[in-house]
Amino acid sequence: MKIYVAGLLMLGISSTISAQTGSPAKDTIRISLKDAWQRAEENSRHIRINTINADIAEAEVKDAKRERLPEIEVKGSAEKASNIPIYENGIFSKPTQHEVIHTLYRAGADFYLNIYNGNKLNLKIKENQTLQKIKDIQKEKSVSDIHYKTAALYLELQKTLIFRDLIKQDITDQKTQLKEIQALYKNGVVLKSDVLRIELELSKRKMALVTIENDILIAMQKLNIILGIPDEQIVIPETPFNQWNESTTYNEFLKLALDHSFDYHVSEQQTALSMIRLKQVKANIRPKIGMYGEFYYANPQIFLYPYNPYWYSLGIVGIKASFSISSLYHNTHKVKAAQLEFEKEEEVHKDTEDKVRQQVKEAYLRYQEALEQIKVAEANVAQAKENARIIKNTYFSQTSLITELLDADIQLLQTKFELEAAKIMAQNNYYLLQNITGVL
């Protein structure tokens, strides 16, 4: 922050400030963070993609459940048959023609109902349900991510607006101080160089204001893009607020993460999915049992001898069972590969848990660090104010130099910047911690 403030005060910019940032326009939007989240959700393509993926997964679960219903097929045919030539004296002799019924019709239906197939259907349903859970978690994660991204941009804009208010107030104070020093110069109390130094510092602050105004425009455009509103639209965050809970401990945040963390639960479902797929591979060596049936009308009757040119019907129902002998040796390495895949996912899950713990620890410490920075910055502001008051009194009583007065003013402005930046950083870190734990 010290470098940032020093850069603002030393940087000269010749561009002019857009008039629309000077005073709120009629179409200015004052928006709360909650409203910003809602707009960002509605505008996010990433969320829409994950929502569609979740809907697809839900449809696939329903489709898998429908496979429990029997397979039913309706079919029909109309055929023309020729006479049957009979070669009584060899194939090179002239055959005699055996008359047959030339037109054949057939219409009917058949079905197959799976009774048992190594539990594969139930495993397929569980597989699709697990994939649906993963898609649902990823959808929730995309919402949480867009919330945090929106909050970060919202807070960045909020910070630059606060900085603008601080620098404007400081410019007003410096103008008042300049008038006092100019009066002393007219009375011959101070040197012309003191007046020039104050004027130079005032000019630097005005140019720093230009930089901050440009920072506002940049931050506002970034926020507008994620909210899905025009770049030129003026968006003003609501009054700064401190929305965090200092009493929550690290262990409580860690418990929240293990209960709600998106990455942790995706990894958990991936492990469950690999176990289901292992069971599916093992099911290859189990028998297959099903009920089948067929019913049809046909003409002519050639099912039983003697044949006749009349319509007849026939229905057949039965149980069919089969077992693949070759699966006993074809399935061996498939089971081994699936077992290794499951073991790998277990290790990945443990690694994900380690990463979640590390992320929570780091975010928690940075959050606590930001809260401590607020306390330090508040004390620094109080000390800088008192120091500036003392130096100003001693300067006007001719016991301190102009450089000391300017240094005290810069220190006061810097500590104010640091205090507001610490508040914004604490809020940002709190939202980051909530995003990591999966409760944002």
Side-chain angles (χ1 to χ4, degrees), residues 351-385:
D351 183 63
T352 302
E353 181 180 350
D354 293 340
K355 288 179 180 178
V356 169
R357 291 206 327 271
Q358 184 272 323
Q359 289 173 349
V360 172
K361 184 73 171 180
E362 180 178 354
Y364 179 79
L365 291 176
R366 294 303 181 195
Y367 166 59
Q368 292 296 320
E369 179 183 325
L371 294 178
E372 189 63 29
Q373 284 178 344
I374 293 175
K375 297 176 183 178
V376 174
E378 287 174 343
N380 289 344
V381 169
Q383 293 169 356
K385 282 183 179 178

PDB file of all heavy atoms in Angstrom, residues 351-385:
ATOM      1  N   ASP A 351      -5.458 -37.108  -1.247  1.00  0.00           N
ATOM      2  CA  ASP A 351      -4.675 -35.945  -1.671  1.00  0.00           C
ATOM      3  C   ASP A 351      -5.540 -34.700  -1.728  1.00  0.00           C
ATOM      4  O   ASP A 351      -5.108 -33.604  -1.340  1.00  0.00           O
ATOM      5  CB  ASP A 351      -4.046 -36.224  -3.036  1.00  0.00           C
ATOM      6  CG  ASP A 351      -3.148 -35.085  -3.510  1.00  0.00           C
ATOM      7  OD1 ASP A 351      -2.133 -34.807  -2.829  1.00  0.00           O
ATOM      8  OD2 ASP A 351      -3.460 -34.479  -4.550  1.00  0.00           O
ATOM      9  N   THR A 352      -6.773 -34.856  -2.205  1.00  0.00           N
ATOM     10  CA  THR A 352      -7.702 -33.720  -2.251  1.00  0.00           C
ATOM     11  C   THR A 352      -8.013 -33.224  -0.845  1.00  0.00           C
ATOM     12  O   THR A 352      -8.087 -32.016  -0.600  1.00  0.00           O
ATOM     13  CB  THR A 352      -9.011 -34.127  -2.958  1.00  0.00           C
ATOM     14  OG1 THR A 352      -8.715 -34.588  -4.279  1.00  0.00           O
ATOM     15  CG2 THR A 352      -9.976 -32.958  -3.045  1.00  0.00           C
ATOM     16  N   GLU A 353      -8.180 -34.153   0.090  1.00  0.00           N
ATOM     17  CA  GLU A 353      -8.422 -33.759   1.483  1.00  0.00           C
ATOM     18  C   GLU A 353      -7.243 -32.959   2.033  1.00  0.00           C
ATOM     19  O   GLU A 353      -7.425 -31.941   2.708  1.00  0.00           O
ATOM     20  CB  GLU A 353      -8.664 -34.997   2.351  1.00  0.00           C
ATOM     21  CG  GLU A 353      -8.956 -34.665   3.801  1.00  0.00           C
ATOM     22  CD  GLU A 353      -9.197 -35.916   4.644  1.00  0.00           C
ATOM     23  OE1 GLU A 353      -9.314 -37.008   4.059  1.00  0.00           O
ATOM     24  OE2 GLU A 353      -9.256 -35.785   5.879  1.00  0.00           O
ATOM     25  N   ASP A 354      -6.027 -33.395   1.719  1.00  0.00           N
ATOM     26  CA  ASP A 354      -4.841 -32.653   2.152  1.00  0.00           C
ATOM     27  C   ASP A 354      -4.831 -31.245   1.559  1.00  0.00           C
ATOM     28  O   ASP A 354      -4.511 -30.266   2.249  1.00  0.00           O
ATOM     29  CB  ASP A 354      -3.565 -33.392   1.736  1.00  0.00           C
ATOM     30  CG  ASP A 354      -3.392 -34.711   2.476  1.00  0.00           C
ATOM     31  OD1 ASP A 354      -4.008 -34.877   3.544  1.00  0.00           O
ATOM     32  OD2 ASP A 354      -2.650 -35.581   1.974  1.00  0.00           O
ATOM     33  N   LYS A 355      -5.178 -31.144   0.285  1.00  0.00           N
ATOM     34  CA  LYS A 355      -5.183 -29.836  -0.372  1.00  0.00           C
ATOM     35  C   LYS A 355      -6.243 -28.919   0.220  1.00  0.00           C
ATOM     36  O   LYS A 355      -6.002 -27.718   0.398  1.00  0.00           O
ATOM     37  CB  LYS A 355      -5.413 -30.007  -1.878  1.00  0.00           C
ATOM     38  CG  LYS A 355      -4.226 -30.604  -2.623  1.00  0.00           C
ATOM     39  CD  LYS A 355      -4.533 -30.773  -4.106  1.00  0.00           C
ATOM     40  CE  LYS A 355      -3.339 -31.369  -4.844  1.00  0.00           C
ATOM     41  NZ  LYS A 355      -3.641 -31.590  -6.288  1.00  0.00           N
ATOM     42  N   VAL A 356      -7.413 -29.497   0.524  1.00  0.00           N
ATOM     43  CA  VAL A 356      -8.475 -28.686   1.130  1.00  0.00           C
ATOM     44  C   VAL A 356      -8.027 -28.173   2.490  1.00  0.00           C
ATOM     45  O   VAL A 356      -8.228 -26.985   2.814  1.00  0.00           O
ATOM     46  CB  VAL A 356      -9.774 -29.509   1.254  1.00  0.00           C
ATOM     47  CG1 VAL A 356     -10.794 -28.785   2.130  1.00  0.00           C
ATOM     48  CG2 VAL A 356     -10.365 -29.773  -0.121  1.00  0.00           C
ATOM     49  N   ARG A 357      -7.416 -29.041   3.303  1.00  0.00           N
ATOM     50  CA  ARG A 357      -6.916 -28.603   4.607  1.00  0.00           C
ATOM     51  C   ARG A 357      -5.883 -27.494   4.458  1.00  0.00           C
ATOM     52  O   ARG A 357      -5.905 -26.505   5.199  1.00  0.00           O
ATOM     53  CB  ARG A 357      -6.293 -29.786   5.354  1.00  0.00           C
ATOM     54  CG  ARG A 357      -7.287 -30.842   5.801  1.00  0.00           C
ATOM     55  CD  ARG A 357      -6.816 -31.640   7.012  1.00  0.00           C
ATOM     56  NE  ARG A 357      -5.394 -31.838   7.050  1.00  0.00           N
ATOM     57  CZ  ARG A 357      -4.737 -32.855   6.482  1.00  0.00           C
ATOM     58  NH1 ARG A 357      -5.425 -33.762   5.795  1.00  0.00           N
ATOM     59  NH2 ARG A 357      -3.437 -32.973   6.583  1.00  0.00           N
ATOM     60  N   GLN A 358      -4.995 -27.646   3.476  1.00  0.00           N
ATOM     61  CA  GLN A 358      -3.968 -26.621   3.256  1.00  0.00           C
ATOM     62  C   GLN A 358      -4.588 -25.303   2.804  1.00  0.00           C
ATOM     63  O   GLN A 358      -4.211 -24.219   3.277  1.00  0.00           O
ATOM     64  CB  GLN A 358      -2.963 -27.131   2.213  1.00  0.00           C
ATOM     65  CG  GLN A 358      -1.788 -26.193   1.949  1.00  0.00           C
ATOM     66  CD  GLN A 358      -2.080 -25.172   0.877  1.00  0.00           C
ATOM     67  OE1 GLN A 358      -2.753 -25.471  -0.095  1.00  0.00           O
ATOM     68  NE2 GLN A 358      -1.594 -23.953   1.062  1.00  0.00           N
ATOM     69  N   GLN A 359      -5.581 -25.376   1.910  1.00  0.00           N
ATOM     70  CA  GLN A 359      -6.232 -24.158   1.420  1.00  0.00           C
ATOM     71  C   GLN A 359      -6.974 -23.448   2.545  1.00  0.00           C
ATOM     72  O   GLN A 359      -6.924 -22.219   2.644  1.00  0.00           O
ATOM     73  CB  GLN A 359      -7.195 -24.513   0.283  1.00  0.00           C
ATOM     74  CG  GLN A 359      -6.502 -24.927  -1.015  1.00  0.00           C
ATOM     75  CD  GLN A 359      -7.491 -25.436  -2.057  1.00  0.00           C
ATOM     76  OE1 GLN A 359      -8.658 -25.673  -1.762  1.00  0.00           O
ATOM     77  NE2 GLN A 359      -7.025 -25.602  -3.277  1.00  0.00           N
ATOM     78  N   VAL A 360      -7.670 -24.232   3.379  1.00  0.00           N
ATOM     79  CA  VAL A 360      -8.400 -23.634   4.497  1.00  0.00           C
ATOM     80  C   VAL A 360      -7.421 -22.984   5.471  1.00  0.00           C
ATOM     81  O   VAL A 360      -7.649 -21.859   5.943  1.00  0.00           O
ATOM     82  CB  VAL A 360      -9.255 -24.698   5.219  1.00  0.00           C
ATOM     83  CG1 VAL A 360      -9.868 -24.132   6.499  1.00  0.00           C
ATOM     84  CG2 VAL A 360     -10.351 -25.196   4.302  1.00  0.00           C
ATOM     85  N   LYS A 361      -6.322 -23.666   5.758  1.00  0.00           N
ATOM     86  CA  LYS A 361      -5.319 -23.126   6.685  1.00  0.00           C
ATOM     87  C   LYS A 361      -4.740 -21.819   6.154  1.00  0.00           C
ATOM     88  O   LYS A 361      -4.659 -20.819   6.886  1.00  0.00           O
ATOM     89  CB  LYS A 361      -4.197 -24.150   6.881  1.00  0.00           C
ATOM     90  CG  LYS A 361      -3.138 -23.736   7.897  1.00  0.00           C
ATOM     91  CD  LYS A 361      -3.665 -23.824   9.307  1.00  0.00           C
ATOM     92  CE  LYS A 361      -2.550 -23.626  10.331  1.00  0.00           C
ATOM     93  NZ  LYS A 361      -3.061 -23.719  11.711  1.00  0.00           N
ATOM     94  N   GLU A 362      -4.360 -21.813   4.890  1.00  0.00           N
ATOM     95  CA  GLU A 362      -3.758 -20.611   4.306  1.00  0.00           C
ATOM     96  C   GLU A 362      -4.764 -19.466   4.274  1.00  0.00           C
ATOM     97  O   GLU A 362      -4.438 -18.332   4.659  1.00  0.00           O
ATOM     98  CB  GLU A 362      -3.263 -20.911   2.888  1.00  0.00           C
ATOM     99  CG  GLU A 362      -2.610 -19.712   2.209  1.00  0.00           C
ATOM    100  CD  GLU A 362      -2.080 -20.030   0.829  1.00  0.00           C
ATOM    101  OE1 GLU A 362      -2.114 -21.218   0.437  1.00  0.00           O
ATOM    102  OE2 GLU A 362      -1.631 -19.106   0.132  1.00  0.00           O
ATOM    103  N   ALA A 363      -5.974 -19.742   3.813  1.00  0.00           N
ATOM    104  CA  ALA A 363      -6.985 -18.687   3.738  1.00  0.00           C
ATOM    105  C   ALA A 363      -7.346 -18.173   5.129  1.00  0.00           C
ATOM    106  O   ALA A 363      -7.546 -16.963   5.317  1.00  0.00           O
ATOM    107  CB  ALA A 363      -8.234 -19.211   3.028  1.00  0.00           C
ATOM    108  N   TYR A 364      -7.396 -19.073   6.115  1.00  0.00           N
ATOM    109  CA  TYR A 364      -7.730 -18.657   7.485  1.00  0.00           C
ATOM    110  C   TYR A 364      -6.643 -17.756   8.058  1.00  0.00           C
ATOM    111  O   TYR A 364      -6.943 -16.721   8.680  1.00  0.00           O
ATOM    112  CB  TYR A 364      -7.919 -19.894   8.368  1.00  0.00           C
ATOM    113  CG  TYR A 364      -8.234 -19.565   9.811  1.00  0.00           C
ATOM    114  CD1 TYR A 364      -9.519 -19.182  10.179  1.00  0.00           C
ATOM    115  CD2 TYR A 364      -7.253 -19.630  10.782  1.00  0.00           C
ATOM    116  CE1 TYR A 364      -9.820 -18.873  11.501  1.00  0.00           C
ATOM    117  CE2 TYR A 364      -7.533 -19.318  12.112  1.00  0.00           C
ATOM    118  CZ  TYR A 364      -8.817 -18.942  12.462  1.00  0.00           C
ATOM    119  OH  TYR A 364      -9.098 -18.635  13.769  1.00  0.00           O
ATOM    120  N   LEU A 365      -5.385 -18.132   7.853  1.00  0.00           N
ATOM    121  CA  LEU A 365      -4.279 -17.320   8.377  1.00  0.00           C
ATOM    122  C   LEU A 365      -4.240 -15.955   7.702  1.00  0.00           C
ATOM    123  O   LEU A 365      -3.990 -14.930   8.363  1.00  0.00           O
ATOM    124  CB  LEU A 365      -2.951 -18.057   8.187  1.00  0.00           C
ATOM    125  CG  LEU A 365      -2.762 -19.308   9.056  1.00  0.00           C
ATOM    126  CD1 LEU A 365      -1.448 -20.003   8.711  1.00  0.00           C
ATOM    127  CD2 LEU A 365      -2.805 -18.953  10.543  1.00  0.00           C
ATOM    128  N   ARG A 366      -4.478 -15.915   6.378  1.00  0.00           N
ATOM    129  CA  ARG A 366      -4.504 -14.629   5.679  1.00  0.00           C
ATOM    130  C   ARG A 366      -5.678 -13.775   6.164  1.00  0.00           C
ATOM    131  O   ARG A 366      -5.560 -12.539   6.261  1.00  0.00           O
ATOM    132  CB  ARG A 366      -4.604 -14.855   4.174  1.00  0.00           C
ATOM    133  CG  ARG A 366      -3.385 -15.525   3.550  1.00  0.00           C
ATOM    134  CD  ARG A 366      -2.133 -14.752   3.823  1.00  0.00           C
ATOM    135  NE  ARG A 366      -0.964 -15.382   3.212  1.00  0.00           N
ATOM    136  CZ  ARG A 366       0.295 -15.078   3.513  1.00  0.00           C
ATOM    137  NH1 ARG A 366       0.547 -14.150   4.425  1.00  0.00           N
ATOM    138  NH2 ARG A 366       1.296 -15.691   2.912  1.00  0.00           N
ATOM    139  N   TYR A 367      -6.783 -14.435   6.466  1.00  0.00           N
ATOM    140  CA  TYR A 367      -7.951 -13.725   6.992  1.00  0.00           C
ATOM    141  C   TYR A 367      -7.644 -13.129   8.362  1.00  0.00           C
ATOM    142  O   TYR A 367      -7.928 -11.945   8.623  1.00  0.00           O
ATOM    143  CB  TYR A 367      -9.125 -14.705   7.043  1.00  0.00           C
ATOM    144  CG  TYR A 367     -10.310 -14.266   7.846  1.00  0.00           C
ATOM    145  CD1 TYR A 367     -10.989 -13.087   7.546  1.00  0.00           C
ATOM    146  CD2 TYR A 367     -10.769 -15.031   8.912  1.00  0.00           C
ATOM    147  CE1 TYR A 367     -12.096 -12.692   8.289  1.00  0.00           C
ATOM    148  CE2 TYR A 367     -11.867 -14.650   9.653  1.00  0.00           C
ATOM    149  CZ  TYR A 367     -12.523 -13.477   9.348  1.00  0.00           C
ATOM    150  OH  TYR A 367     -13.612 -13.094  10.077  1.00  0.00           O
ATOM    151  N   GLN A 368      -7.038 -13.941   9.235  1.00  0.00           N
ATOM    152  CA  GLN A 368      -6.657 -13.441  10.552  1.00  0.00           C
ATOM    153  C   GLN A 368      -5.614 -12.327  10.438  1.00  0.00           C
ATOM    154  O   GLN A 368      -5.628 -11.353  11.200  1.00  0.00           O
ATOM    155  CB  GLN A 368      -6.103 -14.595  11.406  1.00  0.00           C
ATOM    156  CG  GLN A 368      -7.132 -15.638  11.789  1.00  0.00           C
ATOM    157  CD  GLN A 368      -8.228 -15.083  12.670  1.00  0.00           C
ATOM    158  OE1 GLN A 368      -7.963 -14.280  13.572  1.00  0.00           O
ATOM    159  NE2 GLN A 368      -9.467 -15.481  12.409  1.00  0.00           N
ATOM    160  N   GLU A 369      -4.708 -12.486   9.476  1.00  0.00           N
ATOM    161  CA  GLU A 369      -3.691 -11.462   9.254  1.00  0.00           C
ATOM    162  C   GLU A 369      -4.342 -10.138   8.851  1.00  0.00           C
ATOM    163  O   GLU A 369      -3.942  -9.057   9.322  1.00  0.00           O
ATOM    164  CB  GLU A 369      -2.739 -11.936   8.154  1.00  0.00           C
ATOM    165  CG  GLU A 369      -1.639 -10.963   7.791  1.00  0.00           C
ATOM    166  CD  GLU A 369      -0.788 -11.473   6.644  1.00  0.00           C
ATOM    167  OE1 GLU A 369      -0.581 -12.706   6.571  1.00  0.00           O
ATOM    168  OE2 GLU A 369      -0.345 -10.653   5.831  1.00  0.00           O
ATOM    169  N   ALA A 370      -5.363 -10.200   7.994  1.00  0.00           N
ATOM    170  CA  ALA A 370      -6.055  -8.986   7.566  1.00  0.00           C
ATOM    171  C   ALA A 370      -6.795  -8.332   8.733  1.00  0.00           C
ATOM    172  O   ALA A 370      -6.817  -7.097   8.853  1.00  0.00           O
ATOM    173  CB  ALA A 370      -7.022  -9.309   6.433  1.00  0.00           C
ATOM    174  N   LEU A 371      -7.395  -9.152   9.611  1.00  0.00           N
ATOM    175  CA  LEU A 371      -8.065  -8.596  10.790  1.00  0.00           C
ATOM    176  C   LEU A 371      -7.069  -7.900  11.700  1.00  0.00           C
ATOM    177  O   LEU A 371      -7.364  -6.832  12.270  1.00  0.00           O
ATOM    178  CB  LEU A 371      -8.784  -9.713  11.560  1.00  0.00           C
ATOM    179  CG  LEU A 371      -9.963 -10.391  10.852  1.00  0.00           C
ATOM    180  CD1 LEU A 371     -10.541 -11.501  11.732  1.00  0.00           C
ATOM    181  CD2 LEU A 371     -11.050  -9.381  10.506  1.00  0.00           C
ATOM    182  N   GLU A 372      -5.886  -8.482  11.844  1.00  0.00           N
ATOM    183  CA  GLU A 372      -4.838  -7.848  12.656  1.00  0.00           C
ATOM    184  C   GLU A 372      -4.352  -6.566  11.995  1.00  0.00           C
ATOM    185  O   GLU A 372      -4.058  -5.568  12.685  1.00  0.00           O
ATOM    186  CB  GLU A 372      -3.673  -8.829  12.852  1.00  0.00           C
ATOM    187  CG  GLU A 372      -2.627  -8.367  13.849  1.00  0.00           C
ATOM    188  CD  GLU A 372      -3.178  -8.224  15.258  1.00  0.00           C
ATOM    189  OE1 GLU A 372      -4.132  -8.955  15.590  1.00  0.00           O
ATOM    190  OE2 GLU A 372      -2.648  -7.381  16.003  1.00  0.00           O
ATOM    191  N   GLN A 373      -4.271  -6.568  10.663  1.00  0.00           N
ATOM    192  CA  GLN A 373      -3.856  -5.363   9.949  1.00  0.00           C
ATOM    193  C   GLN A 373      -4.828  -4.216  10.190  1.00  0.00           C
ATOM    194  O   GLN A 373      -4.415  -3.050  10.257  1.00  0.00           O
ATOM    195  CB  GLN A 373      -3.756  -5.656   8.449  1.00  0.00           C
ATOM    196  CG  GLN A 373      -2.507  -6.438   8.053  1.00  0.00           C
ATOM    197  CD  GLN A 373      -2.475  -6.743   6.570  1.00  0.00           C
ATOM    198  OE1 GLN A 373      -3.480  -6.638   5.880  1.00  0.00           O
ATOM    199  NE2 GLN A 373      -1.315  -7.131   6.082  1.00  0.00           N
ATOM    200  N   ILE A 374      -6.115  -4.532  10.323  1.00  0.00           N
ATOM    201  CA  ILE A 374      -7.103  -3.488  10.604  1.00  0.00           C
ATOM    202  C   ILE A 374      -6.800  -2.820  11.947  1.00  0.00           C
ATOM    203  O   ILE A 374      -6.799  -1.583  12.062  1.00  0.00           O
ATOM    204  CB  ILE A 374      -8.522  -4.077  10.603  1.00  0.00           C
ATOM    205  CG1 ILE A 374      -8.911  -4.539   9.191  1.00  0.00           C
ATOM    206  CG2 ILE A 374      -9.539  -3.054  11.110  1.00  0.00           C
ATOM    207  CD1 ILE A 374     -10.247  -5.248   9.124  1.00  0.00           C
ATOM    208  N   LYS A 375      -6.520  -3.633  12.974  1.00  0.00           N
ATOM    209  CA  LYS A 375      -6.219  -3.083  14.300  1.00  0.00           C
ATOM    210  C   LYS A 375      -4.955  -2.225  14.264  1.00  0.00           C
ATOM    211  O   LYS A 375      -4.915  -1.127  14.844  1.00  0.00           O
ATOM    212  CB  LYS A 375      -6.047  -4.221  15.304  1.00  0.00           C
ATOM    213  CG  LYS A 375      -7.315  -5.061  15.499  1.00  0.00           C
ATOM    214  CD  LYS A 375      -7.054  -6.234  16.424  1.00  0.00           C
ATOM    215  CE  LYS A 375      -8.300  -7.113  16.548  1.00  0.00           C
ATOM    216  NZ  LYS A 375      -8.074  -8.302  17.413  1.00  0.00           N
ATOM    217  N   VAL A 376      -3.932  -2.739  13.580  1.00  0.00           N
ATOM    218  CA  VAL A 376      -2.683  -1.979  13.474  1.00  0.00           C
ATOM    219  C   VAL A 376      -2.907  -0.688  12.698  1.00  0.00           C
ATOM    220  O   VAL A 376      -2.423   0.387  13.080  1.00  0.00           O
ATOM    221  CB  VAL A 376      -1.589  -2.834  12.796  1.00  0.00           C
ATOM    222  CG1 VAL A 376      -0.342  -1.999  12.544  1.00  0.00           C
ATOM    223  CG2 VAL A 376      -1.249  -4.043  13.658  1.00  0.00           C
ATOM    224  N   ALA A 377      -3.671  -0.793  11.593  1.00  0.00           N
ATOM    225  CA  ALA A 377      -3.913   0.390  10.758  1.00  0.00           C
ATOM    226  C   ALA A 377      -4.719   1.441  11.508  1.00  0.00           C
ATOM    227  O   ALA A 377      -4.475   2.646  11.356  1.00  0.00           O
ATOM    228  CB  ALA A 377      -4.638  -0.017   9.471  1.00  0.00           C
ATOM    229  N   GLU A 378      -5.685   1.003  12.323  1.00  0.00           N
ATOM    230  CA  GLU A 378      -6.461   1.963  13.122  1.00  0.00           C
ATOM    231  C   GLU A 378      -5.564   2.707  14.098  1.00  0.00           C
ATOM    232  O   GLU A 378      -5.696   3.932  14.267  1.00  0.00           O
ATOM    233  CB  GLU A 378      -7.580   1.229  13.864  1.00  0.00           C
ATOM    234  CG  GLU A 378      -8.720   0.774  12.962  1.00  0.00           C
ATOM    235  CD  GLU A 378      -9.738  -0.078  13.688  1.00  0.00           C
ATOM    236  OE1 GLU A 378      -9.405  -0.589  14.789  1.00  0.00           O
ATOM    237  OE2 GLU A 378     -10.858  -0.261  13.159  1.00  0.00           O
ATOM    238  N   ALA A 379      -4.638   1.970  14.726  1.00  0.00           N
ATOM    239  CA  ALA A 379      -3.687   2.622  15.639  1.00  0.00           C
ATOM    240  C   ALA A 379      -2.762   3.558  14.874  1.00  0.00           C
ATOM    241  O   ALA A 379      -2.443   4.666  15.348  1.00  0.00           O
ATOM    242  CB  ALA A 379      -2.881   1.564  16.389  1.00  0.00           C
ATOM    243  N   ASN A 380      -2.346   3.149  13.689  1.00  0.00           N
ATOM    244  CA  ASN A 380      -1.456   3.989  12.878  1.00  0.00           C
ATOM    245  C   ASN A 380      -2.140   5.288  12.462  1.00  0.00           C
ATOM    246  O   ASN A 380      -1.515   6.359  12.433  1.00  0.00           O
ATOM    247  CB  ASN A 380      -0.989   3.227  11.644  1.00  0.00           C
ATOM    248  CG  ASN A 380      -0.009   2.119  11.974  1.00  0.00           C
ATOM    249  OD1 ASN A 380       0.547   2.096  13.071  1.00  0.00           O
ATOM    250  ND2 ASN A 380       0.197   1.210  11.047  1.00  0.00           N
ATOM    251  N   VAL A 381      -3.430   5.202  12.111  1.00  0.00           N
ATOM    252  CA  VAL A 381      -4.169   6.403  11.719  1.00  0.00           C
ATOM    253  C   VAL A 381      -4.239   7.382  12.888  1.00  0.00           C
ATOM    254  O   VAL A 381      -4.020   8.595  12.716  1.00  0.00           O
ATOM    255  CB  VAL A 381      -5.585   6.039  11.237  1.00  0.00           C
ATOM    256  CG1 VAL A 381      -6.451   7.293  11.088  1.00  0.00           C
ATOM    257  CG2 VAL A 381      -5.532   5.310   9.907  1.00  0.00           C
ATOM    258  N   ALA A 382      -4.536   6.858  14.068  1.00  0.00           N
ATOM    259  CA  ALA A 382      -4.603   7.729  15.253  1.00  0.00           C
ATOM    260  C   ALA A 382      -3.256   8.391  15.526  1.00  0.00           C
ATOM    261  O   ALA A 382      -3.182   9.594  15.829  1.00  0.00           O
ATOM    262  CB  ALA A 382      -5.063   6.912  16.461  1.00  0.00           C
ATOM    263  N   GLN A 383      -2.173   7.615  15.417  1.00  0.00           N
ATOM    264  CA  GLN A 383      -0.835   8.162  15.652  1.00  0.00           C
ATOM    265  C   GLN A 383      -0.447   9.172  14.575  1.00  0.00           C
ATOM    266  O   GLN A 383       0.149  10.220  14.861  1.00  0.00           O
ATOM    267  CB  GLN A 383       0.187   7.021  15.702  1.00  0.00           C
ATOM    268  CG  GLN A 383       0.003   6.101  16.901  1.00  0.00           C
ATOM    269  CD  GLN A 383       0.845   4.843  16.802  1.00  0.00           C
ATOM    270  OE1 GLN A 383       1.511   4.618  15.806  1.00  0.00           O
ATOM    271  NE2 GLN A 383       0.788   4.014  17.832  1.00  0.00           N
ATOM    272  N   ALA A 384      -0.809   8.856  13.305  1.00  0.00           N
ATOM    273  CA  ALA A 384      -0.478   9.761  12.207  1.00  0.00           C
ATOM    274  C   ALA A 384      -1.233  11.082  12.328  1.00  0.00           C
ATOM    275  O   ALA A 384      -0.695  12.157  12.022  1.00  0.00           O
ATOM    276  CB  ALA A 384      -0.779   9.098  10.865  1.00  0.00           C
ATOM    277  N   LYS A 385      -2.492  11.011  12.787  1.00  0.00           N
ATOM    278  CA  LYS A 385      -3.264  12.233  12.989  1.00  0.00           C
ATOM    279  C   LYS A 385      -2.624  13.115  14.055  1.00  0.00           C
ATOM    280  O   LYS A 385      -2.489  14.336  13.888  1.00  0.00           O
ATOM    281  CB  LYS A 385      -4.700  11.878  13.399  1.00  0.00           C
ATOM    282  CG  LYS A 385      -5.588  11.438  12.268  1.00  0.00           C
ATOM    283  CD  LYS A 385      -7.006  11.177  12.775  1.00  0.00           C
ATOM    284  CE  LYS A 385      -7.918  10.759  11.619  1.00  0.00           C
ATOM    285  NZ  LYS A 385      -9.298  10.458  12.096  1.00  0.00           N
TER     286      LYS A 385
END
